[in-house]
Amino acid sequence: MAVNPSSIASLNPIDIASHGPVIPVIVIDRVADALPLAQALLAGGVKVLEVTLRTAAGLPAIEAIARHLPEAVVGVGTVVNADDARSASEAGARFAVSPGYTSEIGGACRALSLPLLPGVATSSEIMAALADGFSFLKLFPAEAVGGIPLLKAWASPFGQVSFCPTGGITSASAADYLALPNVRCVGGSWLTPADAVRAGEWTRITQLAREAQALRAAS
């Protein structure tokens, strides 16, 4: 059953885009890396952190960040069902991001008062998300499904929708996405390179975060 749009006001995502132009999409293999990685991003001015559920370390990493770094806005990515949403909320996630959208996920997040950034890749998915009260959406996987030309094409029929494109975006292409009027922020994994995390190169990650924060002004 679709969520009643009139009852979904509490589900409007927190204004994550107001904190900066890039949301890091974080994959953590070792829980011990969670706090120093989050601290490195915070030092670079990146406050909103999307920790994915792609590894077993995801949930405990969210819990560690939520408990020890309250200044961070830690959320959960790769939410694909209601159980994911519930587990992440219990771990302390402050928002959820899904690769696609179903009313089950929307309803679960509504019940949890967990703000949701739903993923879409087609016009039909946008319409389904809009019907359930969501107008700030994640385009995923952005580059694979059409990227900038697709977002430009959607601007007219979906003028009430704003996007956070994620998937295949790099430091080189991010500014072009951010220049679009219907893009509020982008998601990217380039802020937390796997080799830098493995080696504990936190200064490098801080620098990448600083560069990402400067992207809006350059776009």
Side-chain angles (χ1 to χ4, degrees), residues 47-63:
K47 182 177 181 180
V48 177
L49 316 177
E50 178 191 336
V51 178
T52 69
L53 296 181
R54 300 177 191 176
T55 68
L59 277 178
I62 290 168
E63 185 173 12

Side-chain angles (χ1 to χ4, degrees), residues 26-102:
I26 303 168
V27 179
I28 293 182
D29 293 311
R30 301 175 301 197
V31 178
D33 291 329
L35 290 180
L37 174 57
Q39 289 167 333
L41 290 165
L42 285 168
V46 173
K47 182 177 181 180
V48 177
L49 316 177
E50 178 191 336
V51 178
T52 69
L53 296 181
R54 300 177 191 176
T55 68
L59 277 178
I62 290 168
E63 185 173 12
I65 295 169
R67 180 177 300 172
H68 298 289
L69 294 174
E71 64 270 35
V73 181
V74 62
V76 58
T78 325
V79 172
V80 298
N81 54 49
D83 287 341
D84 286 344
R86 283 189 287 268
S87 297
S89 181
E90 291 170 2
R94 294 171 61 182
F95 66 94
V97 184
S98 58
Y101 180 70
T102 66

Side-chain angles (χ1 to χ4, degrees), residues 4-27:
N4 182 351
S6 67
S7 64
I8 204 165
S10 64
L11 264 189
N12 289 335
I14 54 176
D15 193 10
I16 56 177
S18 69
H19 294 291
V22 182
I23 299 174
V25 179
I26 303 168
V27 179

Side-chain angles (χ1 to χ4, degrees), residues 14-206:
I14 54 176
D15 193 10
I16 56 177
S18 69
H19 294 291
V22 182
I23 299 174
V25 179
I26 303 168
V27 179
I28 293 182
D29 293 311
R30 301 175 301 197
V31 178
D33 291 329
L35 290 180
L37 174 57
Q39 289 167 333
L41 290 165
L42 285 168
V46 173
K47 182 177 181 180
V48 177
L49 316 177
E50 178 191 336
V51 178
T52 69
L53 296 181
R54 300 177 191 176
T55 68
L59 277 178
I62 290 168
E63 185 173 12
I65 295 169
R67 180 177 300 172
H68 298 289
L69 294 174
E71 64 270 35
V73 181
V74 62
V76 58
T78 325
V79 172
V80 298
N81 54 49
D83 287 341
D84 286 344
R86 283 189 287 268
S87 297
S89 181
E90 291 170 2
R94 294 171 61 182
F95 66 94
V97 184
S98 58
Y101 180 70
T102 66
S103 287
E104 178 205 9
I105 290 175
C109 288
R110 174 176 178 266
L112 295 163
S113 296
L114 182 67
L116 174 65
L117 177 60
V120 298
T122 68
S123 296
S124 295
E125 290 169 331
I126 292 175
M127 292 167 66
L130 281 172
D132 283 357
F134 296 94
S135 60
F136 179 35
L137 309 176
K138 164 184 165 177
L139 173 63
F140 179 81
E143 283 286 284
V145 300
I148 289 173
L150 180 60
L151 288 163
K152 287 181 176 179
W154 277 343
S156 180
F158 299 117
Q160 73 274 52
V161 178
S162 57
F163 294 93
C164 174
T166 305
I169 298 174
T170 67
S171 58
S173 63
D176 292 333
Y177 277 92
L178 291 166
L180 299 177
N182 58 347
V183 170
R184 295 179 61 193
C185 59
V186 300
S189 58
W190 80 86
L191 279 72
T192 56
D195 61 332
V197 176
R198 282 194 301 268
E201 295 177 347
W202 310 125
T203 301
R204 176 183 167 195
I205 289 173
T206 294

